[in-house]
Amino acid sequence: FGLKKEKESETRKQKRKTSRRSGAAKDKKILYIHKHTTSLSFVDTYSDPFLSLSLFVRSCVVERRKKTQILHIYIKNEIIMSGKSNNTQLITTAIAAATTGAILTYTALKYKSSKNTSTTPPPPPPTEQDVKTSYIYEDPAHDVIISQPLKRTSSDLNQGQAGDGRLNAVEGAGRTILFPHSHEEKMKRRIASRVAVEEDNMTPRNSVTVRVPATSANFGPGYDCIGMAVDLWSEVTIERSSTFQITAEGEGADAMPTDESNLLVTGVKAAFDAAKKPVPILKYHVVSRIPYARGLGSSSAAIVAGIIAGLVLAGHRLPCWGSEALLQIAASIEGHPDNVAPAIYGGIQIGIHNGTRWVTERAPCPAGMQLVMFIPDFIGKTSSARNVLGPEISREDAAFNISRAAWLIHALCMGNLDNLKVSVQDKMHQPQRGKALYPYLFPMIEAAEDAGACCGYLSGAGPTVMALTSGASGDIFTQREKERTDKAVAKAMMSTAKKFGIQGRIVVTQASHEGARVLKADPPFSSDIFTYRDEV
């Protein structure tokens, strides 16, 4: 009986032991690591294998089979080892298994990387773009990388910002990095990959109508360099014809030349020369609303309108960013940029010659500013007005004008119209012309300022006197007159003119933020897909 009891006890122990082992087997995860193929796979999974891997490794048994050459790594998520287990041996085995896994993983990644590298084809060599027209910019190394600072010489500084504007950027080792204000360089880089200007929409036209604004040059102390576009417009229509003809209506129509000496014809010829095409026989018609030879840029308007019309008729376009080719043509005919720049771009323009080409930038126009102009009935010739100027000026007068020009730009940028009175003072041309040609000039400016004008100055070479007022908001005909001073200033200027026996008229308008533009063309630029403004 005792022997039977002992056997039954051993049988129960054996069953419990077998039961524990079978329960542990369900939680066992087997990770096969194939020695030669470095492939990894989970088998016999009763739960998420990634969850099993994140658990603490309690024990690990490594076994090598001779035939299959497979390493079996058993990872258990429960403590199933008995008290007789050798902990040191288990830890050593776990470290060895982890090391083996790391080595195999590294080998697999390295093998995969080398395989991808060998199978990836090299990038195709860059292809050259087709060259269709004149080159405007080419920079084969325009990546933004800085390695070493660039050392400039004095000759570099003298040539600065001439053609490519690179002094607006920090350079090094053939690479440049741009600053926020380097807008011309940024635009050139956007088109650098194109190499040349594509001749899109280069169809010659049969006729074109161009609208161009008046301008007020020599803005105070800005002799030959600062000008403003005025909201008075002329329209020029030019069309191909069998006979040459110039007709005009409106301001100064009777005094306008009707032969090839007309500046319209000069502008058209310059445009066709730029296009390298012969000038066809053309018929011109002008609707002029810009007073002729009154210091409001009628000659510059004719030059700009002629160039733009000629380019459209010839089917030719010019680069602007980095070269301003249209400005170069117009300023070379006029001799200075203070009229042609605002006629092209609108607004208040500051123009200079940087030693290589003409460049211009826009100054802000204060809100609410109005222009009150006294336009005499007689004309003023620019050549006569220049003859009264001396060939030299003193250092004191130069310093006076430099300071006033700086004060003028600051007043415009800050919108401080109260500072304009001092800003437009000048010693280079207004005192000389007022004394010799226009004795009413300074008494009229003083009367306008006393009536509430912010300032007054001689427009262009004269004889027009320009007064600037403030307070306009929206349409002035819906605004109370007490909020503005334009009407009081106009009366004061007209009263002064009568005292000097000068006949003339007052025109009240504003600065124009827009320059010359095409109004109509045949064939038109618009299509069924898209339409330009005014269906041009």
Side-chain angles (χ1 to χ4, degrees):
F1 178 79
L3 181 60
K4 185 178 180 181
K5 276 287 224 178
E6 184 177 352
K7 287 183 178 181
E8 288 178 357
S9 178
E10 289 179 356
T11 301
R12 292 192 195 98
K13 290 181 180 179
Q14 187 66 26
K15 288 182 179 181
R16 286 196 297 269
K17 187 175 182 181
T18 304
S19 177
R20 286 199 300 268
R21 288 180 178 176
S22 62
K26 293 182 179 180
D27 296 325
K28 186 187 303 181
K29 305 296 172 226
I30 303 175
L31 176 63
Y32 284 88
I33 306 177
H34 296 259
K35 179 179 180 182
H36 298 291
T37 63
T38 66
S39 63
L40 307 178
S41 62
F42 280 96
V43 299
D44 192 23
T45 56
Y46 291 90
S47 60
D48 188 359
F50 297 100
L51 177 61
S52 301
L53 286 176
S54 65
L55 299 176
F56 184 79
V57 178
R58 297 297 184 179
S59 65
C60 185
V61 179
V62 181
E63 176 184 338
R64 178 184 297 271
R65 292 186 182 179
K66 294 181 180 180
K67 293 183 179 181
T68 60
Q69 294 294 313
I70 297 177
L71 296 177
H72 294 266
I73 302 177
Y74 299 85
I75 302 175
K76 302 179 181 180
N77 58 6
E78 290 185 2
I79 301 176
I80 60 172
M81 59 184 176
S82 64
K84 296 181 180 180
S85 300
N86 191 338
N87 291 337
T88 303
Q89 183 180 358
L90 290 176
I91 293 174
T92 304
T93 305
I95 293 175
T99 305
T100 304
I103 294 173
L104 291 175
T105 303
Y106 173 76
T107 306
L109 293 175
K110 187 175 181 181
Y111 173 76
K112 184 177 180 181
S113 177
S114 62
K115 185 177 180 181
N116 291 338
T117 304
S118 61
T119 57
T120 302
T127 58
E128 295 184 359
Q129 301 286 338
D130 294 334
V131 178
K132 294 184 178 180
T133 58
S134 59
Y135 289 93
I136 59 173
Y137 184 75
E138 185 174 4
D139 185 5
H142 57 272
D143 294 335
V144 182
I145 301 175
I146 289 295
S147 57
Q148 295 178 356
L150 178 69
K151 295 181 179 180
R152 292 195 180 90
T153 62
S154 58
S155 61
D156 295 331
L157 297 177
N158 292 333
Q159 298 174 1
Q161 300 180 9
D164 57 5
R166 290 189 180 180
L167 291 186
N168 284 331
V170 178
E171 303 183 15
R175 305 289 194 269
T176 61
I177 185 169
L178 300 179
F179 294 111
H181 62 273
S182 308
H183 53 276
E184 283 200 355
E185 182 70 13
K186 290 177 182 178
M187 179 59 71
K188 288 188 295 182
R189 291 193 179 197
R190 292 189 186 105
I191 61 177
S193 59
R194 291 170 51 189
V195 181
V197 179
E198 298 177 359
E199 296 198 13
D200 53 344
N201 263 330
M202 291 293 95
T203 305
R205 261 68 187 179
N206 299 320
S207 65
V208 61
T209 301
V210 179
R211 185 172 182 250
V212 61
T215 53
S216 177
N218 298 335
F219 197 143
Y223 180 73
D224 277 0
C225 63
I226 304 177
M228 173 175 56
V230 179
D231 194 16
L232 295 174
W233 300 83
S234 290
E235 292 182 9
V236 178
T237 300
I238 305 177
E239 58 183 327
R240 298 177 187 268
S241 176
S242 58
T243 57
F244 174 85
Q245 184 183 15
I246 297 179
T247 58
E249 58 179 290
E251 296 276 356
D254 297 337
M256 191 175 299
T258 57
D259 56 9
E260 292 191 354
S261 65
N262 193 305
L263 290 175
L264 271 174
V265 181
T266 303
V268 170
K269 287 182 176 179
F272 275 88
D273 289 343
K276 295 181 173 55
K277 295 181 180 181
V279 182
I281 300 175
L282 300 171
K283 181 169 66 175
Y284 304 77
H285 181 70
V286 182
V287 179
S288 178
R289 299 181 184 88
I290 302 175
Y292 176 73
R294 299 295 199 281
L296 291 171
S298 59
S299 59
S300 297
I303 293 171
V304 171
I307 297 173
I308 294 177
L311 291 172
V312 173
L313 291 172
H316 187 70
R317 299 193 182 193
L318 297 173
C320 178
W321 292 98
S323 56
E324 294 184 274
L326 177 55
L327 176 65
Q328 310 310 309
I329 298 173
S332 64
I333 298 174
E334 180 76 357
H336 42 83
D338 55 340
N339 277 117
V340 295
I344 295 172
Y345 302 119
I348 300 174
Q349 296 288 332
I350 310 167
I352 64 169
H353 195 279
N354 64 7
T356 301
R357 66 179 178 92
W358 295 101
V359 293
T360 184
E361 290 288 349
R362 180 187 292 260
C365 183
M369 187 175 74
Q370 284 188 287
L371 315 182
V372 182
M373 298 173 288
F374 172 74
I375 305 175
D377 288 344
F378 63 89
I379 65 173
K381 294 184 177 181
T382 303
S383 57
S384 301
R386 286 187 177 270
N387 289 336
V388 302
L389 305 180
E392 298 178 354
I393 60 172
S394 65
R395 186 188 303 271
E396 181 181 358
D397 290 347
F400 183 92
N401 265 53
I402 292 171
S403 62
R404 296 312 191 275
W407 200 251
L408 171 62
I409 299 304
H410 181 270
L412 294 174
C413 290
M414 301 302 294
N416 189 349
L417 297 178
D418 293 336
N419 281 346
L420 290 178
K421 182 176 181 180
V422 177
S423 301
V424 298
Q425 293 176 354
D426 163 78
K427 287 190 176 182
M428 288 186 63
H429 71 103
Q430 292 187 89
Q432 297 87 333
R433 288 169 173 170
K435 181 179 180 180
L437 301 174
Y438 316 123
Y440 59 87
L441 174 61
F442 288 103
M444 186 173 291
I445 291 175
E446 183 178 359
E449 292 175 347
D450 291 342
C454 299
C455 67
Y457 64 91
L458 181 68
S459 179
T464 296
V465 179
M466 178 77 70
L468 306 182
T469 65
S470 63
S473 179
D475 191 300
I476 61 173
F477 301 111
T478 62
Q479 183 184 13
R480 296 176 61 187
E481 291 186 0
K482 294 181 179 180
E483 297 178 349
R484 308 187 318 273
T485 60
D486 52 301
K487 197 167 186 178
V489 170
K491 290 180 179 180
M493 296 174 74
M494 184 61 73
S495 176
T496 303
K498 289 181 179 180
K499 291 179 180 178
F500 284 84
I502 305 297
Q503 299 295 320
R505 59 193 175 98
I506 295 289
V507 174
V508 179
T509 184
Q510 60 187 359
S512 173
H513 298 280
E514 185 180 41
R517 67 182 184 92
V518 176
L519 284 181
K520 186 186 302 183
D522 178 32
F525 289 96
S526 299
S527 66
D528 295 337
I529 301 175
F530 56 88
T531 303
Y532 291 102
R533 183 174 65 167
D534 297 332
E535 298 184 354
V536 176

